[in-house]
Amino acid sequence: MRASASIPTAALLSPLAALAALNLFLADVRDGLGPFLGVFLQERPGARPRSASS
């Protein structure tokens, strides 16, 4: 008998649901705050754009 056969299906779906919720939250934060954060950082005194590789 396999060890996974004794684990209820609801217990397997719970971590997947948590991961899906985390993924949705992180994508929402990135897409929602990204444009506003970029404008905010550009408007700061003394801020100058530079290449990400430098």
Side-chain angles (χ1 to χ4, degrees), residues 37-47:
L37 187 59
V39 170
F40 172 75
L41 292 175
Q42 285 179 354
E43 295 297 321
R44 292 182 65 202

Side-chain angles (χ1 to χ4, degrees), residues 2-15:
R2 295 185 328 213
S4 63
S6 62
I7 299 174
T9 304
L12 291 176
L13 293 178
S14 179

Side-chain angles (χ1 to χ4, degrees), residues 23-48:
N23 187 27
L24 179 67
F25 174 74
L26 290 178
D28 195 29
V29 167
R30 183 195 67 200
D31 292 338
L33 289 180
F36 296 107
L37 187 59
V39 170
F40 172 75
L41 292 175
Q42 285 179 354
E43 295 297 321
R44 292 182 65 202
R48 46 192 164 136

